[in-house]
Amino acid sequence: MNTVKTKSIWTDIIENGVRAVVERLTDSEAIEMTEAYGTHNYHPLPVNVVRAKGAYAYDGSGKQYIDCIGCYSAVAHGHLSEFVTNTVDEQLDKVTLVSRAMYTSELALFLKGVCEYTDMDMACPMNTGAEAVETAIKLARKWAYAKKGVPMNQAEIIVAAENFHGRTTTIVSFSTEKQYNEFFGPYGPGFKIVPFGDLDAVRAAITPNTCAVMMEPIQAEGGIIIPPDGFMAELRSLCTENNVLLIWDEIQTGFARTGKKFAWMHEDAKPDMMCLGKALGGGLYPVAAVVGAKHVMDVFVPGDHGSTFGGNPVACVVALAAMAELEQKDLCGASAKLGALLVEKLRALPHPCIEDVRGRGLLVGLEVREGTDTHKLAEAFVEQGILTKETRHRTFRFAPPLVIDENLVNQIVEKTSKALDAVS
Ligand SMILES: *Cc1c(COP(=O)(O)O)cnc(C)c1O
């Protein structure tokens, strides 16, 4: 330990500024400090990112990585997108935080903008995906009692097995992933779990008390699981027939990730409500929202719901810049084209340990055969300068920023091939 680090962090920061103190930390010091002082609810790759730009991230030694995690699709615009960062720069001269006790022009424009972008009527701004999901659950339940006539406290929501909707206590109540909920009961009631992609199972689970079906259009954390063709559209019809709300959680699949603005657009299965997050924050800031049809969204009255930071001016301008840039750069088109290329090229790799390659747009999963040393493979990816992590089902996710190009797709495939050599 040198004197700098035994001296109070605060003296150091006050004398030298936060950035100078951050810059001085080595990669191994950063890793040790994180493990010593942070709860161990993550198992990160042994990589300390000190800067990132576009599709690339760099560690303290200057090693370059292609960021195929893309913050689980939150970094769709690439790291430090100039349109987004310039917007924030300008905003920092104006106003950043006022609370919802007042109106702001930023919020006004965001609400209209996100409704136009999603073709929905009204929006409720939040900060994180889990909050958006919680918000949608509250809206659906209130709609059940206020509009559908479900007896008080009897509303049921149908969800899918292997889902991922976030980490709050209510949400982990209906997770089927043991590690997400094992020690966190008692669980909140009111959820019915059916197999993903099974329309008959949804039909059988619907009762007069069912207020909503909430699912991801493609299960991303679950291992890039794409439902059978026609499932989304048929689910839409089934919900309509039974006066049940359809809620798509598009937090990971939304905003061009799968080659369309939203994944439900692959089958024109427009929901009554949609949860948004991740890429809505332009790779820079947590921004989330629920958007939906007026007859659902208008059940909220003052005091029903809220968030201190939700809809703050910085979040609003970031989200507006993020949506504008997706359109301006046609990142839907890029995602569709480059995703198809990535899938095609990964499928052509000769490695026998590959079980399956699947994806829509730039949400791609490479599943390896049972018995493959996935720990070793993860290390080999890092060695090759590819950031990717295993989701469930031995599936490595490729969700790079949508600003990559064909050359970078080729590099990803080449490096993946070399990483697979290490376990073949
Ligand atoms: C990431 C994610 C969430 C949770 O978002 P947070 O911002 O981490 O709370 C919810 N649903 C889906 C589908 C996600 O991918």
Side-chain angles (χ1 to χ4, degrees):
M1 281 271 185
N2 63 37
T3 50
V4 173
K5 264 159 284 152
T6 49
K7 172 162 112 179
S8 149
I9 261 189
W10 307 118
T11 316
D12 198 4
I13 286 177
I14 290 160
E15 281 173 8
N16 302 297
V18 174
R19 272 318 308 172
V21 179
V22 171
E23 303 276 344
R24 226 188 284 128
L25 223 55
T26 67
D27 287 347
S28 56
E29 284 169 338
I31 290 170
E32 276 168 33
M33 205 182 278
T34 304
E35 294 300 329
Y37 291 99
T39 56
H40 295 163
N41 50 327
Y42 279 95
H43 183 61
L45 300 169
V47 176
N48 185 50
V49 174
V50 298
R51 89 191 155 83
K53 179 73 188 159
Y56 293 107
Y58 303 84
D59 67 16
S61 74
K63 179 167 177 171
Q64 184 185 63
Y65 300 86
I66 304 174
D67 183 3
C68 288
I69 298 176
C71 196
Y72 311 112
S73 159
V75 180
H77 304 72
H79 295 280
L80 299 184
S81 144
E82 270 160 41
F83 192 51
V84 178
T85 56
N86 288 342
T87 301
V88 174
D89 278 346
E90 288 171 13
Q91 187 65 34
L92 293 183
D93 289 330
K94 280 301 205 184
V95 57
T96 57
L97 191 59
V98 294
S99 92
R100 292 292 304 274
M102 279 80 73
Y103 290 90
T104 68
S105 301
E106 289 85 354
L107 178 61
L109 211 57
F110 166 72
L111 292 172
K112 182 165 198 282
V114 77
C115 286
E116 270 184 18
Y117 189 91
T118 56
D119 192 22
M120 292 285 178
D121 303 328
M122 296 175 99
C124 183
M126 287 285 130
N127 312 284
T128 66
E131 285 175 309
V133 171
E134 291 274 353
T135 304
I137 291 169
K138 284 177 73 174
L139 281 162
R141 286 180 175 168
K142 187 157 186 199
W143 175 87
Y145 307 126
K147 303 244 172 139
K148 183 167 173 170
V150 173
M152 213 54 180
N153 298 324
Q154 301 296 308
E156 292 164 1
I157 296 175
I158 296 170
V159 297
E162 304 277 321
N163 69 70
F164 183 80
H165 297 289
R167 308 291 204 147
T168 64
T169 47
T170 293
I171 294 170
V172 298
S173 292
F174 56 88
S175 174
T176 56
E177 175 71 12
K178 194 167 159 230
Q179 223 217 320
Y180 292 173
N181 62 20
E182 187 176 26
F183 294 103
F184 307 115
Y187 306 127
F191 299 95
K192 278 195 180 174
I193 302 168
V194 301
F196 182 59
D198 185 342
L199 196 75
D200 290 334
V202 178
R203 190 180 287 116
I206 291 177
T207 74
N209 292 344
T210 306
C211 64
V213 175
M214 179 172 71
M215 291 180 184
E216 303 148 88
I218 294 171
Q219 291 188 322
E221 296 306 302
I224 323 294
I225 309 298
I226 302 168
D229 280 348
F231 173 75
M232 291 187 224
E234 286 162 18
L235 184 61
R236 171 66 277 179
S237 305
L238 182 66
C239 287
T240 305
E241 285 159 24
N242 290 278
N243 193 23
V244 164
L245 303 174
L246 175 60
I247 306 170
W248 288 129
D249 178 347
E250 289 265 11
I251 290 165
Q252 187 154 166
T253 49
F255 297 108
R257 176 52 55 185
T258 72
K260 300 258 186 201
K261 268 180 170 179
F262 297 98
W264 62 260
M265 292 176 172
H266 288 287
E267 296 190 359
D268 201 16
K270 189 176 174 183
D272 303 286
M273 272 195 278
M274 168 157 66
C275 302
L276 308 174
K278 295 204 163 107
L280 183 58
L284 189 137
Y285 199 78
V287 189
V290 175
V291 292
K294 186 166 189 304
H295 74 101
V296 188
M297 305 300 284
D298 70 6
V299 299
F300 271 172
V301 297
D304 273 356
H305 195 54
S307 159
T308 304
F309 283 85
N312 74 70
V314 175
C316 290
V317 297
V318 163
L320 285 163
M323 289 183 281
E325 187 167 23
L326 287 173
E327 291 301 282
Q328 190 249 328
K329 289 193 172 163
D330 185 24
L331 292 181
C332 281
S335 175
K337 180 173 141 249
L338 296 171
L341 188 68
L342 180 60
V343 167
E344 181 194 315
K345 295 206 163 189
L346 288 175
R347 279 192 182 145
L349 290 178
H351 299 76
C353 63
I354 297 179
E355 169 94 36
D356 189 26
V357 177
R358 54 183 176 267
R360 280 254 169 98
L362 279 170
L363 183 62
V364 173
L366 182 144
E367 181 177 344
V368 293
R369 279 191 205 291
E370 191 151 16
T372 307
D373 187 342
T374 54
H375 190 75
K376 198 165 160 197
L377 181 53
E379 276 175 9
F381 272 119
V382 169
E383 181 71 23
Q384 289 300 322
I386 292 272
L387 300 178
T388 174
K389 277 205 88 175
E390 211 184 331
T391 63
R392 279 173 253 165
H393 300 295
R394 305 181 304 279
T395 300
F396 285 82
R397 170 176 24 204
F398 294 80
L402 306 178
V403 294
I404 61 167
D405 56 15
E406 215 172 303
N407 168 40
L408 219 52
V409 170
N410 290 330
Q411 281 189 48
I412 291 169
V413 175
E414 223 169 88
K415 288 169 183 288
T416 299
S417 177
K418 286 188 189 149
L420 288 165
D421 285 342
V423 292
S424 289

